Amino acid sequence: MPTPRSRRSALPLTLSATALLVPLATACSGGASDGAADGGQRLRVVMAFPPAQAMSPYGDDAVTLSRLAVIEGLTSLGSDGAAKPALAASWKRDSAKEWTFTLRKATFQDGTKVDPAAVVRSLTAAEKASPKPRVLSDTGITAKAQGADTVRIVTDEADPLLPQRLANPSLTILSAAAYTGGRADPAGHATGPFTLAAVKGAVSATLERNDTYWGDKAKAPGADVTFVADGTARANALRTEAVDVAEYVPISQASLLGDGLVHEFPSARTNGLSLNTERGVFADPAMRAAAREAIDSKALVKAVHEGRADTAQGLLGPGVPWAAAARTAPVGRAKAADKAQVAKTEEIVLATYTNRPELPEVATVVQQQLTERGFTVKQVVRDYAQLEADALAGKYDAFIQARNTLLDTADPVSYLASDFTCDGSFNISQLCDERVDADVNKAAGTAGTEARHAAAAAAEADVLGTDALVPLLHERFVQGYDDSRVQGVSLDPMERTLITADTHVG
């Protein structure tokens, strides 16, 4: 399954790229001069994904709010995925299910105090939201105020990842005034370095500097944000200096813009070939091994991503910084069937989706590579919504997807559990292996960053040993800005930050 961002990238476009630039330039052009009177230049930002839920923190829009430095939770995440203080200055684990968080001194953008009652209100609202945020899909939380500056949080199940979980944008802390009319409104009620001052539907948003921010004040006085789904339009806006920052520049545009305007970095997203282990040709481990041997990752990176991707290393790529050092060799791999044996098999159906523009191209190259090995391959390429149910039901022999391996808690164990265990909710490969289940369960219960990394790496080796998924490549993200005049843009493999308090022009 693509992340929600992947699905949203397929929004229907009825305007040309040129037409889209007209509202973009109109929305952004006035901001820079306005900001100059306030001790700096306003940022002009174009984002790829329009708001889908009126900026509700309980859906995909929470990531947009986080990337614009509007909202915060009790914790944040470091580059290694470990939890760092945010609105909580410190915390301790009292028992397997009980934690105590001590709050820092901070105020909301509407001037009210961040106190235990506000934290309890926000976390309770998230727990009761419908639909519930994905980050709470595998556990429940109960928060209670305890003293003047502490909050006690109890989880339904033992959860060593609670501090990382609380960094998820959907668990943002908002003031009491945010909760009216049955919804949570972050505009003016959050704690980030920028205040969401106005939203114009799915077209634009206005940010102003939060002068009461508890941390370092934003260097820019504000930002004018436009939402444009067309990647070529975003690239053209950057090229013509209509914007300062362009989110997610398409690979096809990156080379045209040049290295001074595009900045690529490893992501936590892996393109993988899921093989149906339950029925058909790939129920035979020898055939899965043959498919693995057929894949040339370097050719995929060169042909489809123009070199702006990383060759497959495993399930977890360079966007997971600790993975390479922790990785162990796959175990239990079958001997691959030879070309003559492969040629005797029936036709296989290889499916992928159009929502991410590179995937159909990847599928074409993979089809050629499998064909050279002796497989007879039929492609099915559709919109993701038309494929998901059949993929989960095991109706395809092979399925290519771009998967975020860090998901909602910035920890790969939830990805391993959902995609590769017998009861996994997103087990496209239909894998059910006792060793995999045992090691994933062991990793899920492991506390301590290094020990958890080692346990996740052992589970990764088990999965790779089954050849249930053949890693194809690790994507890189490409953000656009002129590094000669724009500083402080966050290049975040976990996609949670972009504009920060340090982002400014000049």
Side-chain angles (χ1 to χ4, degrees):
M1 181 178 68
T3 65
R5 292 192 162 277
S6 302
R7 291 196 291 268
R8 284 163 58 183
S9 66
L11 292 171
L13 299 174
T14 56
L15 297 175
S16 67
T18 302
L20 281 166
L21 284 173
V22 176
L24 186 151
T26 302
C28 294
S29 60
S33 60
D34 294 343
D38 195 21
Q41 181 171 319
R42 292 180 66 83
L43 294 166
R44 301 165 301 165
V45 183
V46 57
M47 304 288 283
F49 304 101
Q53 299 97 13
M55 291 296 193
S56 167
Y58 304 138
D60 298 341
D61 293 354
V63 177
T64 298
L65 291 164
S66 178
R67 288 174 68 75
L68 293 175
V70 170
I71 60 174
E72 295 177 309
L74 289 179
T75 60
S76 61
L77 293 177
S79 59
D80 62 353
K84 301 193 306 180
L87 293 178
S90 63
W91 54 87
K92 63 186 180 74
R93 191 176 189 181
D94 302 312
S95 69
K97 300 181 182 180
E98 299 172 307
W99 299 71
T100 299
F101 289 79
T102 301
L103 306 182
R104 72 169 69 250
K105 294 185 183 298
T107 59
F108 291 106
Q109 294 158 352
D110 58 16
T112 58
K113 183 180 178 181
V114 177
D115 59 14
V119 173
V120 171
R121 182 186 304 109
S122 293
L123 295 181
T124 301
E127 175 69 28
K128 294 182 177 179
S130 181
K132 183 181 291 190
R134 289 187 312 273
V135 69
L136 296 178
S137 63
D138 58 347
T139 189
I141 59 175
T142 302
K144 292 184 179 180
Q146 190 176 59
D149 62 354
T150 58
V151 175
R152 188 174 184 80
I153 299 178
V154 180
T155 59
D156 290 350
E157 305 291 337
D159 184 15
L161 279 185
L162 182 64
Q164 287 94 323
R165 193 179 301 276
L166 292 171
N168 188 278
S170 286
L171 300 185
T172 181
I173 306 302
L174 304 176
S175 69
Y179 300 97
T180 59
R183 64 182 297 264
D185 180 8
H189 306 306
T191 61
F194 288 105
T195 299
L196 180 63
V199 180
K200 185 178 179 182
V203 177
S204 63
T206 301
L207 309 181
E208 302 295 346
R209 179 166 51 206
N210 174 16
D211 289 323
T212 63
Y213 184 54
W214 58 267
D216 294 335
K217 304 297 186 294
K219 293 182 178 180
D224 300 303
V225 182
T226 306
F227 302 101
V228 176
D230 186 283
T232 300
R234 295 195 305 276
N236 285 340
L238 183 67
R239 182 183 293 108
T240 59
E241 299 186 1
V243 299
D244 302 308
V245 180
E247 184 186 45
Y248 296 130
V249 174
I251 295 295
S252 61
Q253 294 292 316
S255 297
L256 300 176
L257 288 171
D259 291 341
L261 293 179
V262 297
H263 306 271
E264 61 186 74
F265 56 102
S267 78
R269 195 181 301 277
T270 294
N271 283 195
L273 176 67
S274 295
L275 302 178
N276 192 328
T277 64
E278 189 176 54
R279 68 159 186 85
V281 172
F282 294 124
D284 182 348
M287 293 300 167
R288 298 199 298 272
R292 168 176 45 83
E293 289 188 352
I295 298 302
D296 181 348
S297 179
K298 290 182 180 179
L300 284 166
V301 168
K302 181 179 180 180
V304 180
H305 285 259
E306 301 177 9
R308 298 180 187 273
D310 293 292
T311 55
Q313 305 299 314
L315 302 178
L316 312 174
V320 186
W322 53 265
R327 180 170 292 118
T328 59
V331 292
R333 275 181 165 168
K335 180 181 178 180
D338 61 31
K339 189 170 182 178
Q341 293 171 311
V342 170
K344 296 177 183 178
T345 60
E346 61 188 23
E347 180 182 69
I348 62 171
V349 177
L350 169 66
T352 195
Y353 43 93
T354 57
N355 306 60
R356 298 187 66 84
E358 294 85 10
L359 290 188
E361 297 181 57
V362 169
T364 296
V365 177
V366 168
Q367 180 181 25
Q368 293 170 350
Q369 293 178 352
L370 291 174
T371 300
E372 290 174 3
R373 182 68 186 215
F375 291 101
T376 302
V377 184
K378 174 186 176 182
Q379 269 197 61
V380 173
V381 180
R382 297 175 187 155
D383 182 271
Y384 180 79
Q386 299 174 323
L387 293 173
E388 182 182 60
D390 285 346
L392 291 173
K395 293 186 178 181
Y396 303 117
D397 297 292
F399 190 81
I400 295 175
Q401 59 179 320
R403 190 74 163 129
N404 185 338
T405 60
L406 294 185
L407 295 178
D408 293 302
T409 57
D411 178 85
V413 176
S414 55
Y415 153 70
L416 294 169
S418 67
D419 286 36
F420 303 110
T421 61
C422 296
D423 296 326
S425 60
F426 200 72
N427 191 347
I428 287 180
S429 63
Q430 314 299 310
L431 181 65
C432 189
D433 182 282
E434 290 183 0
R435 182 168 56 188
V436 169
D437 274 30
D439 275 356
V440 170
N441 288 337
K442 178 181 178 181
T446 301
T449 301
E450 291 187 8
R452 193 173 180 89
H453 290 172
E460 178 195 37
D462 290 341
V463 173
L464 292 173
T466 69
D467 287 322
L469 183 136
V470 180
L472 301 176
L473 58 87
H474 307 293
E475 293 185 8
R476 296 179 193 165
F477 292 138
V478 182
Q479 309 295 12
Y481 60 91
D482 185 342
D483 58 11
S484 69
R485 64 185 189 86
V486 181
Q487 287 80 45
V489 177
S490 176
L491 304 179
D492 178 10
M494 289 178 279
E495 304 179 72
R496 293 188 179 187
T497 58
L498 178 67
I499 302 304
T500 71
D502 194 45
T503 308
H504 65 285
V505 177

